[in-house]
Amino acid sequence: MEVEVAVDGGAEIGEGPCWDVAGQVLWWVDIPPGTLHRYEPSTGTDRPLAVGRPLGAVAVRRGGGLVLAVGDGFAVLEPEAFLPAVPPATLPGGLPELPPAGPPGVRVHLVAPVEAGDAATRMNDGACDRRGRFFAGTMAWERTAGAGSLYRLGPDGAVEQVLCGLTLSNGIDWSPDGRTMYLVDSGHHRVDRFDFDEEHGRLAGRAPLIQVAPGEGMPDGLTVDAEGCLWVALYGRGVVRRFTAAGVALPAFDVAVPASKVTSCAFGDADLGGLYVTSATRGLTAEVRRLEPHAGAVFRARPGVTGRAPSAYAG
């Protein structure tokens, strides 16, 4: 399958791709430096924005702007943060009028702290359900077994822990009918399924769905396509693999990218037929970096199936 480099960003841990249907842009993050990226496929332009803290995931807000899973909780970013700079006016005589001194204002508001007193953990991957609730998990920086949890941010700003005992909470998505939630625990090399109570946002009936053998890579981020199949990024393998809703692998659809540490994926483009894949450079040796010059890039493929528009946060 043909794969192109969309953004050759060299990210330390590129993650969290999220398609913005209204804006026709892809949001993605580089976790450790806390950099939010806005990629516009129509122009090929990628604009980074530093948010000042580690950044695990991003989702669009219905009312404008974004909701973020930052290192120590849930935050919102106002829409004007990415407005284009206004060119300076010209004074009489042709001299430019200088803009006000100081850095541009980036209005990131922490609305709900999560494990804020625990410096050993941070927020990681997340996504919104169809009712507009934002789910995001935590993990220990040292990947301590059982140290992670899954949290739900409601439209009213209330936070609830909905699952604990995870090691590395990662990709999250739902079946097209909203009745099943999928969650990756990378620490156990597993994708689990849950019965999902859409009215209340509750989980039940947890069951293993996909167990990835160590030699096949580590399951990381995921997305669900319009046919209800799961696309799982296999970290260390350089492949995004498609699985049926019953957990059966479909290797004929493999998207192989020239970067071993693939981290996540999301469908985008006007027809939702482009699969965007993020990757990482952290931990690569100099020799591997030489062999993988596009490590840390965002890649794009057209696998022949379409995705679904991601849900937006209702708060």
Side-chain angles (χ1 to χ4, degrees):
M1 189 178 300
E2 184 178 353
V3 174
E4 64 177 338
V5 176
V7 184
D8 209 359
E12 185 177 353
I13 305 179
E15 255 284 8
C18 177
W19 183 250
D20 184 336
V21 174
Q24 290 293 289
V25 298
L26 181 79
W27 300 99
W28 64 281
V29 308
D30 191 353
I31 295 176
T35 307
L36 173 66
H37 290 259
R38 180 186 187 274
Y39 172 63
E40 187 174 3
S42 63
T43 64
T45 303
D46 182 75
R47 295 181 59 196
L49 178 70
V51 302
R53 60 189 80 191
L55 175 59
V58 57
V60 175
R61 289 166 61 198
R62 291 179 186 174
L66 305 169
V67 61
L68 312 174
V70 297
D72 52 356
F74 293 101
V76 295
L77 179 69
E78 299 305 327
E80 61 266 27
F82 269 92
L83 288 177
V86 177
T90 301
L91 297 174
L95 296 175
E97 181 179 359
L98 298 177
V106 178
R107 298 175 59 191
V108 178
H109 306 288
L110 187 68
V111 296
V114 172
E115 301 179 10
D118 188 354
T121 63
R122 65 166 174 84
M123 299 291 284
N124 200 42
D125 211 348
C128 292
D129 69 7
R130 299 195 300 182
R131 296 292 182 93
R133 294 169 291 229
F134 187 39
F135 288 75
T138 61
M139 59 170 285
W141 285 100
E142 301 298 326
R143 301 189 180 187
T144 306
S149 296
L150 181 67
Y151 294 88
R152 183 186 65 232
L153 175 69
D156 60 356
V159 173
E160 183 177 344
Q161 184 190 61
V162 295
L163 195 64
C164 61
L166 301 171
T167 293
L168 207 170
S169 180
N170 237 314
I172 304 171
D173 206 351
W174 287 261
S175 58
D177 64 8
R179 297 173 61 183
T180 303
M181 191 187 89
Y182 304 104
L183 174 68
V184 175
D185 187 341
S186 298
H188 291 95
H189 280 250
R190 198 174 70 219
V191 182
D192 289 341
R193 67 169 306 282
F194 298 81
D195 298 323
F196 187 68
D197 177 355
E198 192 171 42
E199 182 177 355
H200 302 100
R202 295 173 183 158
L203 314 179
R206 181 179 186 178
L209 178 68
I210 301 166
Q211 184 74 52
V212 180
E216 290 294 304
M218 181 181 73
D220 200 324
L222 65 78
T223 190
V224 176
D225 65 29
E227 299 175 10
C229 291
L230 291 74
W231 296 76
V232 182
L234 299 178
Y235 183 91
R237 181 71 186 274
V239 168
V240 177
R241 178 158 293 168
R242 192 185 192 208
F243 295 83
T244 70
V248 178
L250 301 172
F253 287 89
D254 277 5
V255 177
V257 304
S260 55
K261 294 191 172 184
V262 293
T263 54
S264 192
C265 54
F267 282 93
D269 296 340
D271 63 352
L272 295 174
L275 185 68
Y276 288 88
V277 180
T278 51
S279 64
T281 60
R282 172 175 275 195
L284 295 180
T285 65
E287 176 62 16
V288 174
R289 288 294 301 271
R290 186 184 67 80
L291 296 173
E292 299 181 7
H294 298 299
V298 178
F299 302 92
R300 176 180 174 271
R302 300 280 297 180
V305 299
T306 58
R308 300 169 300 132
S311 299
Y313 176 57

